[in-house]
Amino acid sequence: MYKYFLLFLLILCIVFGCERHPADSDFKADLYFENGVIYTVDHDNSIVQALAVKEGIIVFAGSNVDGKAYKEAAAEIIDLKGGMLLPGFIDGHIHTVTPEFFDFVHFFDFNLDLTLQTIVHYVNAHPNQKVYYGFGYNVNIFEGEELLKGPRKERLDAICSDKPLIIYSLDGHTIWLNSKGFEYCKITKDTPCPIGGEIVKDEHSGELWGSLMNSAMSLVPDPYLEKDRLSVVLQNFQSNLNALGYTSIMTLPGNGFLAVYWDGYQQLERDGLLSLRVRGAEIIKPWLLEEDISNIKTLKNKYNSELVKITAAKFFIDGIIAGRTAYLMQPYQDSGFRGEPMWEQATLNAAIASMNREGFQTHTHVMGDASAKMALDAAQFANCFDCRNVLTHLPLVDPNDFSRFKTLNVIPVIQPYWFFKQLNYWEPVEYAVLGKRAEREWPLKSYINNGARVVFSSDYPVSNPPNPFVAIEIGLTRNQPGIANMDDPAYLLWPEERANVEEMIRGFTANAAYSIFAEDVTGTLEVGKSADLIVIDQDLFSIYPSKIGNTKVLRTYFKGKLVYSK
Ligand SMILES: [Zn+2]
């Protein structure tokens, strides 16, 4: 009898196939993608033919043949039409700010009269408002002393003398106030100025001039937005990012200007409206060290939900090259000065180590090569490999320091948008103050060659719009976006530092996920990861590099949900 049973099984096997089939429902995918280049960004840079998503999670990535059962049971099949499917992008350093955070905005205008008219117009049209916050005047529209020291308060007093007017410059380095504005911020001519900033004063009278520079901007309270308006403004901000292909960000306060609106983000998450994974930082300032450390610990506990987390402590070591405030190993070309750091090495070491011990990553603004060395020394002192400390910007790095990024597991978070000789900027500004060193600015490939995990970012609003495909293109060409011949020498900057397509995508995805401690959840197209995906209209591997900047995002999915479609 048993013999017949085996024979019966054998016949079943021949007719229906012997492998065990899971129940049909196991293949029931919500989404099935095919007919394009599906670049997984996994460890081996695998490209697969098909990908399936179920309940927000990637459940299959493989060949058409192996995916057949998923395709047959899929609720929706998406034809990539020869385009690409990639992990959702992650911006490694971005500011939560848009013109909408302010009452009035005057972007990119080179005309002083028009700028003043905009302010007059807004104030007259809103007579009941108690405080006026503006954004976007161009610092270069002024002349003489005002070009150097920022505009005078008297210009604004003439427009409004009884209520505060507080206006941020387009470059984010100056705030212009009227007399009531200073009163509102409790700033007098005797107020101590934070290190790294300036409360600008009249040289002769010692009175307030009208401008706050750099870290002195931290004395101004952020613009207040009513709850409902904040929600709308943040949703617009995230929609713009979703449309550019982002599904996660690391967001930070600026240099004394504009905090991150944590409550607003968390409210969106509670309302089920957040379509970004938000990781962020708060600033640790040397002159408020203890207060800031205790503050950030409280905030870390408060903002620690699935999508909104404070994970990093932001440090500034120096300023910017153009302002000769970057801290260099050799003096500036046009003076004997080499800048100075905002921290003493020993204090910095102790602060970085203490933040690491408290479970924070550190995220440090570094412009000069001497600052980069200080930051690496501090990371070495802190000796915390899995803290994944970040250095950001890094235009100049001592070649001897490249290998230390891997050794210390320090992550360079850099902005490829700037990696070419920008017209009317590179030569008159960078070359003028750095000399020949400017030819060796913005390393990229050197990090990769030395085994570091390089991560990319926009530093938006500094790069605006924060289009990652423009950054990928410039990383490949080191030349002006859209240029016909990428070897054209006119704008070409240090071509030896060009990276390849895989490396550029990795810096916006897998590596960036690692840099925000989210590599178990996002950053690659592997089974088990969140379905944070983007569909783009062209195959980046097969087009001329300077065409990459034109790439269009067709669809963005966050946790399997369509959050943008073109
Ligand atoms: Zn920044």
Side-chain angles (χ1 to χ4, degrees):
M1 191 63 197
Y2 183 62
K3 235 178 16 190
Y4 290 110
F5 180 64
L6 281 183
L7 187 66
F8 175 68
L9 272 186
L10 186 67
I11 293 165
L12 273 183
C13 269
I14 290 163
V15 177
F16 298 103
C18 276
E19 78 240 63
R20 245 170 44 86
H21 270 242
D24 256 4
S25 64
D26 288 4
F27 292 110
K28 267 233 155 57
D30 301 316
L31 304 167
Y32 185 83
F33 298 87
E34 63 175 3
N35 283 333
V37 178
I38 302 177
Y39 179 42
T40 64
V41 203
D42 68 0
H43 182 268
D44 303 318
N45 285 333
S46 313
I47 290 175
V48 297
Q49 294 175 310
L51 183 138
V53 171
K54 185 181 178 182
E55 287 165 7
I57 302 290
I58 297 169
V59 290
F60 171 79
S63 69
N64 288 333
V65 172
D66 292 341
K68 197 164 168 266
Y70 288 102
K71 184 178 176 181
E72 282 163 4
E76 188 187 354
I77 296 169
I78 293 114
D79 182 350
L80 298 170
K81 295 180 183 148
M84 267 183 127
L85 184 70
L86 292 170
F89 280 14
I90 300 165
D91 191 315
H93 176 124
I94 185 170
H95 300 285
T96 297
V97 53
T98 70
E100 288 180 273
F101 284 100
F102 298 88
D103 297 319
F104 58 92
V105 177
H106 200 69
F107 261 137
F108 304 121
D109 213 307
F110 283 90
N111 185 314
L112 177 57
D113 289 336
L114 281 178
T115 301
L116 294 171
Q117 273 171 35
T118 306
I119 304 168
V120 171
H121 184 262
Y122 186 86
V123 170
N124 289 344
H126 299 83
N128 299 323
Q129 205 164 308
K130 294 193 179 80
V131 190
Y132 300 99
Y133 273 91
F135 180 83
Y137 75 90
N138 193 316
V139 291
N140 299 317
I141 55 179
F142 299 94
E143 287 175 1
E145 262 191 304
E146 284 184 298
L147 183 61
L148 300 171
K149 302 170 75 162
R152 303 207 55 146
K153 63 181 187 309
E154 286 75 12
R155 287 185 186 275
L156 294 180
D157 287 341
I159 296 172
C160 179
S161 60
D162 59 342
K163 284 187 286 188
L165 262 171
I166 298 167
I167 311 180
Y168 292 67
S169 67
L170 185 61
D171 65 2
H173 286 282
T174 311
I175 301 179
W176 177 21
L177 305 95
N178 65 353
S179 301
K180 277 284 173 201
F182 282 108
E183 237 174 74
Y184 176 77
C185 300
K186 302 187 179 66
I187 300 168
T188 68
K189 62 182 186 349
D190 303 316
T191 301
C193 185
I195 305 163
E198 190 183 356
I199 300 172
V200 185
K201 287 170 203 158
D202 189 308
E203 267 164 46
H204 309 290
S205 65
E207 294 297 325
L208 292 169
W209 176 269
S211 300
L212 300 172
M213 304 265 199
N214 295 309
S215 66
M217 295 163 67
S218 64
L219 299 168
V220 175
D222 291 329
Y224 173 76
L225 278 84
E226 294 292 341
K227 235 179 169 182
D228 294 348
R229 187 165 155 227
L230 178 60
S231 168
V232 171
V233 168
L234 283 177
Q235 284 181 72
N236 291 342
F237 177 69
Q238 75 171 356
S239 307
N240 289 335
L241 293 178
N242 289 155
L244 289 167
Y246 294 103
T247 51
S248 301
I249 56 170
M250 163 53 82
T251 184
L252 316 96
N255 184 12
F257 92 110
L258 296 180
V260 178
Y261 291 81
W262 298 114
D263 285 324
Y265 276 126
Q266 211 164 51
Q267 190 58 47
L268 285 186
E269 184 181 13
R270 278 193 213 110
D271 297 342
L273 294 171
L274 193 61
S275 56
L276 279 175
R277 219 173 287 287
V278 181
R279 299 292 180 270
E282 282 292 321
I283 296 181
I284 305 294
K285 302 177 284 292
W287 63 93
L288 273 179
L289 195 51
E290 274 165 36
E291 205 178 312
D292 282 348
I293 290 180
S294 113
N295 201 21
I296 196 174
K297 279 156 63 177
T298 313
L299 291 174
K300 187 178 198 263
N301 290 329
K302 189 169 173 201
Y303 303 108
N304 187 23
S305 49
E306 186 206 339
L307 298 183
V308 181
K309 283 183 204 295
I310 293 183
T311 52
K314 173 88 190 273
F315 289 72
F316 284 85
I317 296 191
D318 59 0
I320 55 174
I321 287 171
R324 295 177 189 75
T325 47
Y327 177 44
L328 305 179
M329 289 169 66
Q330 301 299 326
Y332 285 94
Q333 187 72 6
D334 51 356
S335 71
F337 181 63
R338 61 187 191 103
E340 52 192 5
M342 289 161 70
W343 292 79
E344 303 262 343
Q345 183 76 54
T347 328
L348 181 70
N349 289 355
I352 299 267
S354 131
M355 290 324 304
N356 282 174
R357 269 197 309 273
E358 298 285 350
F360 287 89
Q361 170 188 53
T362 61
H363 189 118
T364 304
H365 167 113
V366 167
M367 280 290 184
D369 43 5
S371 302
K373 214 174 265 301
M374 273 185 83
L376 288 164
D377 288 349
Q380 189 168 340
F381 175 86
N383 191 28
C384 179
F385 194 83
D386 200 44
C387 290
R388 309 179 189 185
N389 291 313
V390 163
L391 307 192
T392 191
H393 309 316
L394 295 162
L396 292 174
V397 177
D398 178 356
N400 296 317
D401 283 334
F402 285 124
S403 63
R404 300 176 76 196
F405 287 86
K406 182 182 182 198
T407 318
L408 302 168
N409 202 26
V410 165
I411 300 170
V413 173
I414 56 178
Q415 293 79 28
Y417 299 83
W418 313 335
F419 294 6
F420 67 101
K421 294 179 178 173
Q422 296 176 63
L423 187 66
N424 296 332
Y425 180 78
W426 182 82
E427 205 176 323
V429 179
E430 299 284 308
Y431 192 83
V433 300
L434 289 177
K436 262 188 143 25
R437 279 169 293 185
E439 301 276 4
R440 291 283 178 278
E441 266 190 301
W442 307 113
L444 199 182
K445 190 76 171 185
S446 291
Y447 300 112
I448 299 167
N449 290 346
N450 282 280
R453 278 182 228 251
V454 68
V455 169
F456 303 124
S457 84
S458 63
D459 200 10
Y460 171 86
V462 182
S463 307
N464 185 15
N467 182 342
F469 299 98
V470 171
I472 291 175
E473 173 183 325
I474 301 171
L476 297 180
T477 64
R478 309 269 312 183
N479 213 323
Q480 173 151 291
I483 199 152
N485 169 13
M486 64 189 255
D487 295 318
D488 186 331
Y491 311 99
L492 184 61
L493 177 66
W494 203 5
E496 292 77 9
E497 290 295 314
R498 284 172 173 161
N500 63 35
V501 176
E502 287 92 342
E503 291 159 349
M504 291 308 297
I505 294 176
R506 188 168 288 275
F508 271 114
T509 56
N511 284 0
Y514 179 84
S515 78
I516 61 166
F517 299 86
E519 75 274 19
D520 292 340
V521 187
T522 192
T524 65
L525 304 183
E526 292 175 289
V527 170
K529 297 263 176 102
S530 173
D532 301 348
L533 320 166
I534 57 172
V535 178
I536 59 174
D537 66 343
Q538 45 184 2
D539 170 9
L540 306 188
F541 290 119
S542 66
I543 54 174
Y544 190 68
S546 61
K547 301 232 181 302
I548 291 179
N550 295 327
T551 304
K552 298 279 170 288
V553 176
L554 303 177
R555 285 165 176 242
T556 302
Y557 292 87
F558 179 61
K559 297 171 79 180
K561 199 177 134 203
L562 188 66
V563 293
Y564 169 77
S565 106
K566 195 178 159 57

